[in-house]
Amino acid sequence: MENESSETRNRARLAIMELANMISVPMSLNAAVRLGIADAIWNGGANSPLSAAEILPRLLLPSHTTIGGDPENLQRILRMLTSYGVFSEHLTGSIERKYSLTDVGKTLVTDSGGLSYAAYVLQHHQEALMRAWPLVHTAVVEPETEPYVKANGEAAYAQYGKSEEMNGLMQKAMSGVSVPFMKAILDGYDGFKSVDNLVDVGGSAGDCLRMILKQFPNVREGINFDLPEVVAKAPNIPGVTHVGGDMFQSVPSADAIFMKWVLTTWTDEECKQIMKNCYKALPVGGKLIACEPVLPKETDDSHRTRALLEGDIFVMTIYRTKGKHRTEEEFKELGLSAGFPTFRPFYIDYFYTILEFQK
C-alpha cells in the first residue's frame, strides 16, 4: 500500500472529499437563486463589490424573517460559489470580503424580458426531482423504470401536465436557456437562408419561430407543431400557424424542419421513428435541423465534457433511462437509418450543437 503521506495519496483523498461533498455546489447555487443574490449585486448594472452584510437587506427574504438574515452564513455560500467562478471576491483590509458577479454569475441576472438561467436552476432542484437522485443506481439494475418514476409514482412530464406550478417553471426555465441559445445560432448559422416554409417540431409557444422569422424574412411561413393541448395555449404570432399532432404519427410538410432538445429524451428506436417522419415530410434536398447536446468521442475533464455528461445523467435519472446525449457518430447513424444521406454538425454553442440532416 502506498504511503498515505505521499503527494499522490494526499491528492486522491482530497479529490474524493471534494466529490463526496459536491452536493454543496448545486444546493448553494439553488440557495443563491432563491435568495436573489445575482439581481441584488447587479443592481441595474452597477455590479459594485458588496459585503454579505450589504447584500443581505437587498435579498428576497421571507416576510416572517425576524432577524433580517444571517450575513455570516450568506458569506459562506458566497465564498463557496466564488471557488466555482460564480462570484468574484474582493478582499478589503484584513477581514472584510466583498463580492461582485463574474460572467457566470451574470447568467442569473433577470433581463428586460424577465428571463435568466435562474429558473433553470430552480427547475432542476424542485422537491420531486430531488427525490429521484438517491435512486440513480436503479437505472443500472432496473432500467425499465426511471428513478424519477420510482420516487414519484409517475413520469416527470405527466406531473408537469398536472401541476401548473411545475409546468410554469419548466416553461420559464426553457425560455431562459432557449433565448440566448437562439440568439447565438441565428448570428452564427445561415441554414435558414434558403428556406421558404419551416416546421418547428415541439415548438411549444412558438418563441423560436418568432425569432427565426424576424431574423430571416425569406421564411414566409412557420408551422409550430406540438401536442394539441400545448398549441391550444400558444399566442397568435404573425406568419406562424399552430398545428397540433403527434410527431410519432406524422410531421407537417415543409422545406425544412427544425427541432430543439427533442431527440435527447427519446430512445434510439423512438428517435428513428421521429426522424423517419421528418424525412417523409421533406422534399428532396430538404433539411432536418436539430439542436442537441453532442458528446465528445473521448472523455476528459473539461467544463464542456463535464456539463454534457452531467446533462446525460440528468436525462437518465429524470426523463428516460434510455434517452440520452449522443456522440456525433451516433447522430450520423440515426440519420442514415432514417434515410438521410447527408449529415453536417455545426459547433456554434458550446453545449448544444446544430445537426443538419439533408434528404
Side-chain angles (χ1 to χ4, degrees):
M1 190 70 177
E2 193 171 345
N3 186 336
E4 289 296 343
S5 64
S6 69
E7 178 76 7
T8 304
R9 290 297 294 168
N10 260 303
R11 287 184 180 277
R13 291 199 305 274
L14 185 62
I16 201 65
M17 288 298 287
E18 181 185 3
L19 286 168
N21 289 299
M22 192 70 80
I23 194 170
S24 301
V25 182
M27 299 320 297
S28 293
L29 186 64
N30 188 55
V33 170
R34 290 173 69 106
L35 291 167
I37 293 175
D39 284 337
I41 296 174
W42 185 244
N43 192 26
N47 198 26
S48 301
L50 300 172
S51 68
E54 291 170 325
I55 295 168
L56 202 53
R58 306 180 181 199
L59 298 185
L60 304 173
L61 300 178
S63 56
H64 62 263
T65 303
T66 55
I67 61 169
D70 189 316
E72 183 184 11
N73 285 346
L74 174 59
Q75 180 172 282
R76 293 162 76 179
I77 292 171
L78 291 164
R79 283 198 75 182
M80 210 284 299
L81 291 175
T82 294
S83 76
Y84 279 88
V86 179
F87 304 109
S88 287
E89 186 177 73
H90 310 263
L91 287 172
T92 56
S94 58
I95 299 175
E96 190 174 46
R97 300 172 188 271
K98 294 195 174 189
Y99 299 89
S100 61
L101 298 176
T102 62
D103 285 340
V104 176
K106 289 174 189 175
T107 65
L108 302 174
V109 174
T110 308
D111 67 14
S112 57
L115 298 176
S116 75
Y117 272 70
Y120 185 80
V121 174
L122 291 177
Q123 194 273 333
H124 274 47
H125 297 90
Q126 295 172 97
E127 189 176 340
L129 278 72
M130 294 303 296
R131 280 196 289 266
W133 285 106
L135 302 174
V136 174
H137 67 286
T138 67
V140 176
V141 294
E142 297 172 3
E144 63 277 1
T145 307
E146 287 71 30
Y148 186 97
V149 174
K150 283 188 170 68
N152 294 285
E154 61 182 336
Y157 281 114
Q159 285 202 322
Y160 297 166
K162 294 176 184 177
S163 168
E164 201 167 308
E165 183 182 353
M166 291 182 82
N167 192 55
L169 186 56
M170 177 68 170
Q171 294 299 327
K172 191 172 183 181
M174 289 299 97
S175 294
V177 174
S178 181
V179 169
F181 165 75
M182 286 301 297
K183 286 179 179 177
I185 72 159
L186 289 174
D187 286 341
Y189 173 70
D190 63 3
F192 297 110
K193 279 186 176 176
S194 59
V195 176
D196 189 50
N197 46 63
L198 177 70
V199 173
D200 185 357
V201 174
S204 191
D207 292 328
C208 291
L209 277 176
R210 187 201 305 268
M211 295 176 73
I212 292 169
L213 266 63
K214 184 178 179 182
Q215 182 94 350
F216 294 95
N218 55 279
V219 182
R220 294 187 301 104
E221 180 190 17
I223 299 171
N224 180 42
F225 182 65
D226 213 315
L227 295 170
E229 61 267 28
V230 174
V231 296
K233 300 175 184 175
N236 183 48
I237 301 172
V240 174
T241 304
H242 300 295
V243 176
D246 180 354
M247 63 186 175
F248 287 104
Q249 299 300 318
S250 65
V251 172
S253 297
D255 297 338
I257 295 170
F258 178 73
M259 62 173 64
K260 177 170 57 60
W261 317 334
V262 170
L263 301 175
T264 289
T265 51
W266 300 102
T267 66
D268 288 344
E269 287 306 311
E270 289 164 338
C271 286
K272 287 176 190 176
Q273 186 59 50
I274 295 166
M275 294 174 76
K276 281 178 181 177
N277 288 339
C278 291
Y279 182 87
K280 291 174 188 174
L282 290 167
V284 174
K287 294 182 291 190
L288 166 60
I289 303 164
C291 303
E292 301 288 342
V294 174
L295 293 175
K297 185 177 180 180
E298 295 184 8
T299 307
D300 57 40
D301 61 358
S302 68
H303 283 301
R304 181 176 182 273
T305 297
R306 284 179 172 173
L308 288 163
L309 292 173
E310 287 158 7
D312 184 47
I313 300 300
F314 180 83
V315 169
M316 181 183 78
T317 304
I318 305 301
Y319 295 127
R320 295 294 295 278
T321 53
K322 299 301 286 183
K324 59 186 177 181
H325 291 184
R326 295 172 172 88
T327 63
E328 188 181 302
E329 187 60 32
E330 286 172 323
F331 276 115
K332 182 180 179 180
E333 288 302 315
L334 281 176
L336 287 170
S337 69
F340 291 99
T342 306
F343 167 77
R344 285 197 301 169
F346 296 84
Y347 290 89
I348 296 169
D349 182 85
Y350 285 0
F351 191 86
Y352 297 105
T353 302
I354 300 171
L355 307 169
E356 198 177 83
F357 302 90
Q358 190 163 21
K359 183 169 177 177

